[in-house]
Amino acid sequence: MIKKLWFSFFLVCILPVSVFAQTYDYNSKLFQRIVNQLAMQGHKEHDLATCTVKQQYYKEVLDMLNKGKSEDEILNYYVEQLGEQALVVPQKSGFSLTAWVVPIAIFMFGAFVIYRTVRRKEGN
């Protein structure tokens, strides 16, 4: 009788918690989206089976996801630890935004100067 009582307690109390708890694995879309944003200290393109650095990143991200951390919290953790180079694509804010815009502006200005120079030489 006591065994049946414990089993019933388990089914009523513990089983629903484990059923509703979100667990992630290497195939989860959220997990894949996060690791695809991380540079992994230059090991991003390495084979997971042989690269211990990439394996460590995967394990850390998976642990953080399963502990309930959000995508932004995980990415911010790596940016705080390693700086902007932790990400494959720098963030589009602050100094990083300048790093994105300035080269494009310089290229466009240079193209304009060359265009004007060529047009003037053709006119003479």
Side-chain angles (χ1 to χ4, degrees):
M1 178 70 179
I2 292 180
K3 285 184 182 181
K4 287 183 182 180
L5 216 61
W6 277 109
F7 184 70
S8 299
F9 175 76
F10 174 76
L11 289 178
V12 170
C13 294
I14 298 172
L15 190 59
V17 172
S18 63
V19 169
F20 294 115
Q22 177 74 30
T23 56
Y24 296 93
D25 61 13
Y26 288 175
N27 297 320
S28 301
K29 288 181 182 181
L30 180 58
F31 172 80
Q32 288 296 321
R33 188 170 60 228
I34 293 170
V35 295
N36 285 332
Q37 294 179 60
L38 296 173
M40 299 182 203
Q41 300 173 342
H43 296 262
K44 181 174 182 53
E45 301 301 324
H46 292 183
D47 185 32
L48 179 61
T50 58
C51 182
T52 57
V53 173
K54 191 170 184 175
Q55 291 170 1
Q56 183 64 32
Y57 269 88
Y58 273 50
K59 182 184 178 308
E60 287 175 357
V61 171
L62 202 57
D63 287 346
M64 285 188 254
L65 275 174
N66 286 325
K67 288 179 181 174
K69 295 209 182 245
S70 70
E71 179 178 354
D72 289 336
E73 289 174 323
I74 294 169
L75 294 174
N76 288 336
Y77 167 79
Y78 284 107
V79 170
E80 287 172 8
Q81 296 294 317
L82 303 169
E84 290 276 331
Q85 62 268 20
L87 303 176
V88 173
V89 177
Q91 296 173 338
K92 294 175 182 83
S93 63
F95 178 75
S96 297
L97 181 61
T98 305
W100 279 94
V101 172
V102 169
I104 295 169
I106 291 172
F107 175 77
M108 291 175 67
F109 178 74
F112 176 74
V113 168
I114 291 170
Y115 171 77
R116 295 281 292 179
T117 304
V118 169
R119 293 284 292 174
R120 282 187 185 159
K121 295 224 181 208
E122 286 178 358
N124 290 332

